[in-house]
């Protein structure tokens, strides 16, 4: 029998064991340059392990998992550990939030861990370790093609990461540069490749991380915010492994390209054309019709295009001017522009559909296009030739003749057509009577004197009511009786609030009718006073019985039908006593 009980207890040992799930850290106070190990350990094989967000830390290794299970003297022990190595990214008091697991349908959480991060500390150095420092071997440089451009002149910013004697495995952007007051375009870098170069008089290698083309949009000193990176590096050491290979130490380094200032020059005012719309670069301008001779009902396309190199997307094309006999529709805009380190280049065009309305020859006036030439530092203007549109057939434009005919007869007025408008005229004087001395003025003047007696009477009435203490008490009790009776009706589905309100309604009714206080409301006293006032004895007995029932019913079970019956009975008794008293 003992052996059987032992086997049962052994089978349910895992169910009876208490679940333990906790977080342990290697230290609670560390420097900004020190690492932290955190272990999430559990004594059961939990499912769906969810790590915390590790706010304020960067995970540099992990998770690594360890599982151990043993049997000692017939008792089993189990432990599973998830381990992480963290590096703080900021100073202050940080909190690592709980991790979670699921076991037997329940969710378990670890404790929160508070960590204090101080300034970077000086770490003891191994005398046999002659590892290379990343401070003098890693630089982030922002190379700017031109620091004093004109407005809308392209400049390029190339971010290069220089390194020597160390390895680079990964990098993360801490602060992305912002190009306020610039039009910007990133140039795609398909593959990162290290290139040998001479930097600071020494042999370095560099990787191009980012290329940006900028067009300044206003003059003055414009700032480019820095790009900052957190770079994972491998530093060579003087130590060797068993095969004689050099050992590398993992580390990280924060680098920044530094803020840059661009001194942007305004475009010169001297020689600026009136039709200049902001084009800067080198351009060719053309106006091309799809055809110049067409029949009635046909249409033509007028193509206004600019090709060249410059701020192609940052200015508008001039609009053609055509005669009224040609109906011109809104243009279809098209852009075929490429952006490289040299800036934008390509073609922009507006295509106008023109439909003639009448037969004849119609000129399209020459169109001017002005731009600022960066090569010569002057404004240049291209003028398109005049284009003649020949409409071979169709109706003749007679609008000019009709206009002349209308102007010739505009003074001939047919007087007969206006006779019906106003045959009898009634004139009224424009100057009205003055308000001073009018009836309304006199009424408003006497109105305050007429209101004085009314105010005095109202004041006397109010004082009399205030002095009538008994009457006020009776009126107040009447209001309370009606109030509680109405409240009882609202609470007819809630037993206890209903009977409390009903009892208060009956008590306030008696206080109003019998002129008594709460201290005088004994059952014998109430019965004697009601009978003395010629109340029906049966009605009095029903009133007292209902009052007693209110006290008992609050604590006894009652159906909705019983509650409704008590309410109807209370209304009937109060109405009967109202008549008898």
């Amino acid at each position: 029998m003992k052996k059987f009980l032992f086997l049962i207890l052994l089978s349910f040992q895992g169910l009876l064991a208490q679940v333990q799930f906790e977080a342990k850290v290697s230290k609670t106070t560390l420097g900004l340059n020190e690492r932290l190990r955190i272990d999430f350990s559990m004594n059961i094989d939990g499912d769906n392990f969810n790590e915390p967000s590790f706010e304020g830390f960067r995970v540099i290794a992990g998770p690594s998992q360890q599982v151990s299970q043993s049997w000692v003297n017939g008792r089993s022990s189990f432990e599973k550990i998830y381990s992480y190595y963290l590096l703080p990214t900021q100073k202050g008091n940080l909190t690592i939030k709980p991790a979670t697991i699921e076991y037997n349908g329940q969710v378990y959480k670890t404790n929160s861990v508070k960590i204090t991060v101080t300034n970077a500390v000086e770490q003891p150095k191994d005398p046999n370790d002659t590892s290379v420092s990343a401070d003098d071997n890693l630089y982030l440089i922002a190379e700017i093609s031109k620091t004093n451009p004109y407005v809308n002149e392209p400049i390029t910013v190339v971010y290069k990461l220089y390194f020597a004697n160390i390895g680079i495995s990964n990098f993360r952007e801490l602060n992305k540069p912002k190009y306020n007051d610039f039009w910007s375009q990133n140039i795609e870098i398909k593959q990162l490749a290290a290139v040998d170069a001479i930097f600071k008089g020494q042999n370095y290698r560099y990787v191009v991380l980012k290329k940006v083309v900028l067009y300044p949009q206003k003059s003055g000193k414009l700032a480019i915010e820095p790009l900052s990176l957190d770079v994972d590096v491998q530093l060579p050491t003087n130590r060797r492994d068993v095969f004689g290979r050099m050992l590398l130490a993992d580390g990280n380094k924060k680098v920044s390209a530094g803020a840059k200032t661009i001194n942007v020059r305004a475009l010169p005012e001297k020689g600026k054309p009136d039709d200049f719309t902001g084009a800067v670069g080198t351009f060719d301008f053309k106006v091309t019709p799809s055809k110049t001779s067409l029949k009635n009902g046909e249409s033509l396309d007028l193509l206004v295009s600019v090709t060249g190199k410059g701020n192609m997307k940052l200015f508008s094309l001039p609009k053609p001017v055509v005669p009224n006999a040609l109906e011109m529709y809104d243009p279809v805009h098209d852009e075929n522009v490429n952006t490289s380190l040299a800036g934008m280049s390509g073609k922009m065009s507006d295509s106008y559909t023109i439909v003639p309305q009448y037969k004849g020859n119609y000129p399209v006036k020459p169109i001017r296009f002005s731009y600022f030439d960066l090569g010569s530092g002057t404004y240049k203007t291209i003028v398109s030739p005049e284009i003649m549109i020949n409409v071979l057939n169709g109706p003749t434009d007679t609008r000019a003749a009709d206009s002349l005919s209308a102007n010739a007869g505009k003074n001939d007025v047919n007087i007969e057509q206006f006779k019906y408008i106003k045959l009898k005229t009634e004139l009224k004087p424009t100057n009205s009577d003055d308000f001073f001395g009018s009836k309304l003025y006199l009424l408003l003047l006497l109105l305050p004197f007429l209101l004085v007696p009314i105010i005095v009477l109202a004041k006397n009435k109010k004082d009399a009511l205030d002095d009538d203490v008994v009457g006020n008490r009776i009126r107040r009790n009447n209001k309370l009786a009606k109030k509680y009776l109405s409240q009882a009706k609202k609470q007819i589905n809630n037993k206890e609030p209903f009977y409390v309100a009903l009892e208060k309604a009956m008590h306030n009714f008696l206080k109003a009718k019998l002129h008594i206080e709460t201290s005088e409301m004994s059952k014998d006293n109430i019965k004697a006073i009601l009978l003395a006032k010629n109340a029906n004895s049966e009605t009095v007995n029903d009133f007292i019985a209902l009052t007693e029932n209110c006290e008992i019913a609050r604590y006894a079970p009652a159906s909705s039908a019983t509650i409704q019956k008590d309410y109807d009975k209370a209304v009937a008794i109060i109405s009967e006593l109202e008549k008898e008293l």
Side-chain angles (χ1 to χ4, degrees):
M1 185 66 179
K2 292 182 179 180
K3 186 176 181 181
F4 181 71
L5 291 175
F6 175 76
L7 291 175
I8 294 177
L9 291 175
L10 186 63
S11 301
F12 288 94
Q13 183 178 5
L15 298 176
L16 296 175
Q18 184 178 2
V19 175
Q20 294 180 356
F21 183 40
E22 57 185 354
K24 301 176 183 179
V25 293
S26 57
K27 58 180 73 176
T28 57
T29 302
L30 68 157
L32 188 61
N33 59 337
E34 293 184 297
R35 298 184 180 186
L36 174 72
R37 173 172 174 169
I38 182 168
D39 296 329
F40 299 99
S41 63
M42 63 193 79
N43 65 343
I44 43 89
D45 190 9
D47 298 323
N48 299 328
F49 172 76
N50 290 319
E51 64 185 40
S53 59
F54 297 119
E55 295 179 4
F57 294 89
R58 180 168 60 86
V59 179
I60 58 177
S64 61
Q65 181 178 333
Q66 303 176 23
V67 177
S68 62
Q69 188 171 10
S70 62
W71 288 81
V72 178
N73 296 327
R75 298 185 62 182
S76 66
S77 63
F78 178 87
E79 186 177 31
K80 180 192 285 189
I81 300 175
Y82 290 92
S83 300
Y84 293 83
Y85 286 91
L86 311 176
L87 188 68
T89 58
Q90 64 188 58
K91 295 186 296 182
N93 295 321
L94 307 179
T95 301
I96 299 177
K97 296 181 179 179
T100 62
I101 58 170
E102 293 182 9
Y103 184 70
N104 287 339
Q106 293 187 359
V107 177
Y108 296 89
K109 295 182 179 180
T110 63
N111 51 301
S112 299
V113 181
K114 294 184 178 180
I115 305 296
T116 302
V117 180
T118 61
N119 293 324
V121 298
E122 183 178 356
Q123 297 179 345
K125 186 175 181 181
D126 187 352
N128 298 320
D129 184 8
T130 58
S131 60
V132 177
S133 172
D135 295 339
D136 300 327
N137 294 279
L138 186 67
Y139 298 92
L140 179 61
I141 304 298
E143 295 182 355
I144 299 177
S145 61
K146 194 171 186 178
T147 57
N148 60 337
Y150 281 106
V151 173
N152 272 318
E153 180 181 358
I155 63 173
T156 60
V157 183
V158 179
Y159 295 93
K160 297 180 179 180
L161 186 65
Y162 284 86
F163 58 97
N165 304 319
I166 62 174
I168 297 175
S169 60
N170 192 18
F171 64 88
R172 292 161 295 279
E173 289 188 359
L174 298 178
N175 292 316
K176 293 185 178 181
K178 296 180 181 178
Y179 309 107
N180 297 326
D181 301 317
F182 290 92
W183 182 93
S184 62
Q185 175 69 52
N186 289 321
I187 305 300
E188 182 182 0
I189 300 176
K190 295 182 179 180
Q191 185 176 2
L192 297 179
V195 180
D196 295 329
I198 301 298
F199 180 71
K200 293 188 175 185
Q202 298 180 4
N203 292 327
Y204 272 79
R205 306 189 77 192
Y206 72 85
V207 176
V208 177
L209 302 180
K210 192 179 184 71
K211 298 178 182 179
V212 185
V213 177
L214 303 178
Y215 282 84
Q217 297 301 294
K218 71 177 185 178
S219 59
K221 292 184 178 181
L222 305 183
I224 298 178
E225 297 184 7
L227 171 66
S228 299
L229 301 177
D230 186 7
V231 185
D232 293 336
V233 296
Q234 287 80 44
L235 306 174
T237 67
N238 198 31
R239 294 176 295 175
R240 305 279 176 172
D241 60 9
V242 294
F243 300 103
R245 294 175 297 189
M246 180 183 297
L247 294 177
L248 299 177
D250 293 331
N252 75 297
K253 172 70 176 175
K254 295 181 176 66
V255 290
S256 174
K260 303 295 180 181
T261 300
I262 309 298
N263 189 14
V264 183
R265 294 177 289 171
L267 297 176
E269 293 295 328
K270 183 179 179 180
K272 180 184 288 187
D274 294 335
D275 57 356
F276 177 70
T277 58
V280 177
T282 304
F283 303 101
D284 185 23
F285 175 70
K286 290 182 180 180
V287 179
T288 308
S290 60
K291 52 187 172 181
T292 56
S293 297
L294 63 160
K295 298 178 182 179
N296 182 33
E298 294 182 338
S299 63
L300 64 93
D301 293 330
L302 189 66
L303 187 68
V304 180
S305 63
V306 169
T307 58
K309 178 182 177 182
N311 59 335
M312 299 291 291
K313 299 180 180 180
L314 304 177
F315 63 86
S316 57
L317 297 174
K319 185 177 181 180
V321 178
V322 299
N324 292 333
L326 301 178
E327 185 176 2
M328 184 172 67
Y329 294 90
D330 292 336
V332 177
H333 185 75
D334 182 56
E335 291 182 359
N336 185 13
V337 180
N338 296 319
T339 305
S340 64
L341 279 179
M344 289 185 282
S345 61
K347 179 180 179 180
M348 288 197 318
S349 63
D350 286 339
S351 179
Y352 295 86
T353 299
I354 297 177
V355 180
Q357 303 295 313
Y358 302 98
K359 176 183 178 181
N361 296 324
Y362 302 100
V364 177
K365 295 180 180 181
I367 305 176
R368 293 168 52 90
F369 174 73
S370 299
Y371 66 94
F372 182 75
D373 184 24
L374 292 171
S376 62
T378 59
Y379 293 95
K380 294 185 178 182
T381 300
I382 302 175
V383 182
S384 67
E386 182 179 84
I387 300 173
M388 186 63 68
I389 307 298
N390 183 18
V391 183
L392 300 177
N393 55 16
T396 302
D397 189 1
T398 60
R399 290 176 297 173
D402 294 342
S403 177
L404 291 173
S405 176
N407 290 333
K410 66 180 180 180
N411 293 324
D412 299 335
V413 180
N414 187 0
I415 300 177
E416 294 295 329
Q417 62 181 334
F418 298 105
K419 282 187 176 182
Y420 71 93
I421 295 178
K422 196 71 174 177
L423 301 178
K424 294 182 180 180
T425 304
E426 296 178 0
L427 301 179
K428 294 182 180 180
T430 57
N431 296 328
S432 58
D433 296 335
D434 293 336
F435 176 71
F436 183 77
S438 63
K439 294 181 180 179
L440 180 60
Y441 171 79
L442 295 175
L443 178 62
L444 295 176
L445 183 65
L446 296 175
L447 185 60
F449 298 99
L450 296 176
L451 291 176
V452 170
I454 298 175
I455 295 173
V456 172
L457 291 175
K459 182 67 168 56
N460 293 336
K461 180 68 174 177
K462 183 178 182 304
D463 292 341
L465 289 175
D466 292 342
D467 294 339
D468 186 10
V469 178
V470 176
N472 288 335
R473 187 170 65 246
I474 294 172
R475 284 187 289 272
R476 184 174 64 252
N477 291 332
N478 267 326
K479 290 181 180 179
L480 289 174
K482 294 178 180 179
K483 171 187 173 183
Y484 287 120
L485 192 61
S486 175
Q487 187 175 349
K489 186 176 182 180
K490 294 178 181 178
Q491 298 291 340
I492 203 163
N493 294 323
N494 300 317
K495 182 189 68 174
E496 187 172 347
F498 167 78
Y499 281 108
V500 170
L502 186 63
E503 186 177 6
K504 289 182 178 181
M506 298 177 69
H507 283 177
N508 281 281
F509 171 76
L510 285 181
K511 289 165 68 175
K513 293 301 178 183
L514 304 183
H515 307 164
I516 59 176
E517 296 299 329
T518 305
S519 59
E520 303 175 295
M521 294 185 64
S522 64
K523 297 175 184 177
D524 295 336
N525 191 28
I526 291 171
K527 185 174 183 180
I529 296 175
L530 286 175
L531 293 176
K533 289 184 175 291
N534 298 323
N536 188 290
S537 59
E538 184 178 353
T539 306
V540 172
N541 292 333
D542 290 341
F543 184 90
I544 293 175
L546 184 58
T547 304
E548 294 176 348
N549 185 48
C550 288
E551 296 176 0
I552 299 172
R554 278 187 291 175
Y555 308 101
S559 63
S560 58
T562 304
I563 295 175
Q564 182 65 47
K565 182 178 179 181
D566 288 343
Y567 175 79
D568 295 338
K569 186 175 182 180
V571 173
I573 292 173
I574 290 175
S575 300
E576 187 66 26
L577 287 176
E578 186 80 34
K579 297 176 184 178
E580 295 174 358
L581 298 178

